[in-house]
Structures are given as structure tokens and as C-alpha cells.
């Protein structure tokens, strides 16, 4: 991963996810340079395919869970684009699968 998760100005829950993700899929994704300033959202991009992205957010989620919105290079019918209220381990598994780590 291109950034130290603990140094990012993000919510503690997102930093925790990023630290855990770095262990599982850190070689496959980076924090996007256009991530924005919302402390409750982080945007990740594939290291080699910039249009393969995932947004991890806390807005509207139950405490201790994450929402994921996936972006693909080409629209793929029938592919899941969002997941809501995922516990940490399921969010990590979905992100690792998305980035094919």
C-alpha cells in the first residue's frame, strides 16, 4: 500500500481496516490520490489498473461495520456493486477478492 494507514486523516475504523488490508492485499491496492477529505470514506485503487476501485465508507452503516462500493473498468451485468453493514473480516474478504489478492 502506498500510504501508512495510521497517518491518514480517516476515522479509526477505516485505519484499522487499512492496516488489516495491507497484510492481505497491500501489494494489489493503494489509497487513491483523489481520495478526498471525508474522514468516513476511503477510496482504494488497483496498483496496475486505476479504473478498478473500491470505496469503503462508514456513512449509514451499523456501528462496527463497513459499506463497500465497487467500480470496474467495464460494466459487468450481474456483478455485485455494493455491500452494506459488513463486519471487518467480511469487508476484508470482499476487498481482497475485488483486487484479486
Amino acid at each position: 500500500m502506498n500510504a501508512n494507514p495510521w497517518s491518514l486523516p480517516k476515522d479509526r475504523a477505516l485505519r484499522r481496516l487499512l492496516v488489516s488490508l495491507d497484510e492481505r492485499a497491500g501489494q494489489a491496492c493503494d489509497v487513491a490520490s483523489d481520495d478526498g477529505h471525508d474522514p468516513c470514506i476511503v477510496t482504494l485503487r488497483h496498483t496496475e489498473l486505476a479504473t478498478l476501485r473500491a470505496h469503503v465508507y462508514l456513512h449509514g452503516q451499523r456501528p462496527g461495520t463497513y459499506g463497500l462500493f465497487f467500480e470496474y473498468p467495464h460494466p459487468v451485468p450481474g456483478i455485485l456493486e455494493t455491500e452494506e453493514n459488513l463486519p471487518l473480516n467480511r469487508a476484508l474478504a470482499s476487498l481482497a477478492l475485488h483486487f484479486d489478492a
Side-chain angles (χ1 to χ4, degrees):
M1 194 166 291
N2 64 341
N4 175 355
W6 291 118
S7 69
L8 295 173
K10 300 296 178 182
D11 186 276
R12 182 179 178 91
L14 288 177
R15 292 192 311 250
R16 180 177 174 217
L17 177 132
L18 291 172
V19 167
S20 298
L21 184 64
D22 194 31
E23 297 170 3
R24 285 183 80 166
Q27 301 297 329
C29 65
D30 288 329
V31 175
S33 59
D34 60 348
D35 180 55
H37 301 289
D38 189 330
C40 294
I41 299 173
V42 66
T43 300
L44 303 170
R45 63 177 285 283
H46 192 274
T47 54
E48 296 176 8
L49 187 59
T51 55
L52 182 66
R53 297 164 47 114
H55 306 275
V56 183
Y57 54 93
L58 303 176
H59 296 292
Q61 305 305 300
R62 289 189 303 265
T65 65
Y66 303 86
L68 304 176
F69 176 78
F70 301 110
E71 289 183 32
Y72 299 92
H74 304 286
V76 182
I79 295 292
L80 192 61
E81 293 181 349
T82 62
E83 294 185 75
E84 300 277 331
N85 296 304
L86 297 174
L88 179 62
N89 61 343
R90 288 196 42 222
L92 291 170
S94 289
L95 287 167
L97 181 64
H98 181 67
F99 291 113
D100 198 29

